[in-house]
Amino acid sequence: MTTDQAVAGVWSARYVWVTVGAVALIFLAAMQSLAVTTVMPVVSADLDGEALYAVAFAGTLATSVIGMVAAGAWCDRGGALAPLTVCVVVFVIGLVVAGLAPTMELLVVGRLVQGLGTGGEAVALYVVVARVYPPSLHGRVFAAFSAAWVVPSLIGPFLAGAVTELLHWRWVFLGVAALTIVAFTMVVLRLHGLPLHTDEPATGRVAARLACAVAVAVGALALSLAGELGSLAWAVVATSAVVIGFAVRPLLPPRTLLSGRGLPSVVLMRGLIAGALFGAEIYVPYLLIADYGFSPTFAGLGLTAAAILWAVAAEVQGRVGDRIGNARIAVIGSVQLFAAIALGGATALWHLPPGVLIAGWALAGSGMGLMYPRLTVLTLAYSTPQNQGFNSSALSISDAVGAATTIAVMGLAFTALTATDAGFPVAFAIGAVLAALALVPGVRMGHAHESRTAPA
């Protein structure tokens, strides 16, 4: 690597258009995520689909596993531009289907299609980072990705609520679809001609891994639908958990489920904190609307402070993460995440002022901002050009499976306790347990010389 490459920043002339393009895609994904979390209580009521509320979230995460495996294998065998393009197209199709859906069932179908695209898109972007930027800039790139949540966090929930109230919730989906088409048209022109191929492509078989990904997705979907099966619900939960546990193993590094030192613990921790945060997060606006009478517009603002602190903490991690240390980042972040979810449960249980929930949830953003980009940096540092796609997909799969299974279990418990006041507290309690468990792999991640610069 030349001296100019070593000192160039992610916004330098050499990298600026790649950075802008990648951040734009993250921005739109963030906008969609925050918007759907805000408006889904209204959507489920409008389409008489309260029973499928959790499925609308868990289903997207479940099918994203298939997209992750496919995109990861595709990237390891060649370039990243073609899989990225296909995944963006699939994402847009899913948004259009959801935006035009006349029933909750069809909306869920759109969300399933959307998941295929978003999962693969994330993996392809990670590989783009690995192949375009030197390792010394990876922390700054992923800090920029986290910062891409700032504007959506400021205007996304509020805008989604306002669009829902003034126009219709359908435009939350259709509007993002239109913006994604425009943004990607600009991005794809900038990525052409860049070195996105590997000189030593992987040659391993993909069919078995895809079959495992489908099994994981089906298991996660069965989990999310278990609440509709009455007395068979918990039998389905147990069976689905076994299927997911066996099917996900070939998709992750060896010893991941045992929290092996190094990369396996990095991947496991990502799944635990994703389950804790995203499982609990969908109940934050739900609680504000159901128990405190917030409008969708102002309920969405309950997520804003958390997203802002996520971006701030990610920037801190990008600048001084090496000095803080991986284990210390894991401990600080996990404790903050646990405290935020515990405050959410306390608010629901004792009917505390809603300000406690909103202020407390900011801690979740701060903790995740420290941990999330750091885990991605470590994953790439542990990777070689032959397994960048596999390891990136493994990280995203752990993320999706952790979130999907947690959301499904929370949804099942919440539905079972609808007639009582225990639904929200139990959902938050499940998230708090996962946040505490994340400390185990957090102290076993080790170091992979993640701040090194690439050789010339």
Side-chain angles (χ1 to χ4, degrees), residues 89-353:
V89 170
V90 173
F91 172 60
V92 170
I93 291 173
L95 287 170
V96 172
V97 172
L100 299 177
T103 65
M104 189 67 173
E105 289 78 9
L106 192 54
L107 183 136
V108 169
V109 170
R111 295 280 289 164
L112 297 179
V113 175
Q114 183 183 329
L116 292 171
T118 54
E121 180 183 322
V123 171
L125 283 175
Y126 289 169
V127 176
V128 167
V129 172
R131 294 180 182 172
V132 173
Y133 300 86
S136 59
L137 291 181
H138 289 173
R140 301 301 301 273
V141 176
F142 291 116
F145 281 6
S146 290
W149 287 76
V150 172
V151 174
S153 71
L154 290 171
I155 67 172
F158 181 85
L159 182 60
V163 168
T164 299
E165 292 183 37
L166 300 177
L167 297 174
H168 200 279
W169 58 260
R170 297 185 184 280
W171 286 105
V172 172
F173 294 94
L174 299 176
V176 172
L179 291 173
T180 299
I181 293 172
V182 174
F184 189 70
T185 300
M186 298 166 56
V187 171
V188 72
L189 297 176
R190 303 297 181 181
L191 289 178
H192 272 298
L194 292 177
L196 299 180
H197 285 73
T198 175
D199 294 331
E200 301 177 5
T203 57
R205 295 181 178 179
V206 181
R209 289 175 57 206
L210 281 174
C212 288
V214 172
V216 170
V218 171
L221 284 172
L223 269 178
S224 62
L225 291 168
E228 301 297 299
L229 302 178
S231 60
L232 297 175
W234 291 107
V236 172
V237 168
T239 302
S240 299
V242 171
V243 170
I244 292 171
F246 277 101
V248 79
R249 290 177 64 193
L251 307 179
L252 306 176
R255 296 182 58 81
T256 293
L257 300 183
L258 297 176
S259 191
R261 290 191 179 277
L263 181 61
S265 284
V266 174
V267 173
L268 177 60
M269 185 179 187
R270 182 67 164 253
L272 290 172
I273 63 175
L277 179 89
F278 298 119
E281 186 177 60
I282 68 174
Y283 292 98
V284 172
Y286 201 161
L287 178 62
L288 293 174
I289 292 172
D291 283 16
Y292 293 95
F294 277 46
S295 68
T297 301
F298 287 99
L301 291 177
L303 306 176
T304 298
I308 294 173
L309 286 185
W310 183 318
V312 171
E315 180 64 19
V316 171
Q317 174 280 142
R319 291 180 179 275
V320 298
D322 292 332
R323 279 180 277 169
I324 298 175
N326 297 330
R328 195 171 298 164
I329 286 175
V331 171
I332 295 172
S334 296
V335 169
Q336 288 182 317
L337 181 59
F338 175 85
I341 298 173
L343 283 172
T347 301
L349 183 62
W350 293 305
H351 305 288
L352 301 177

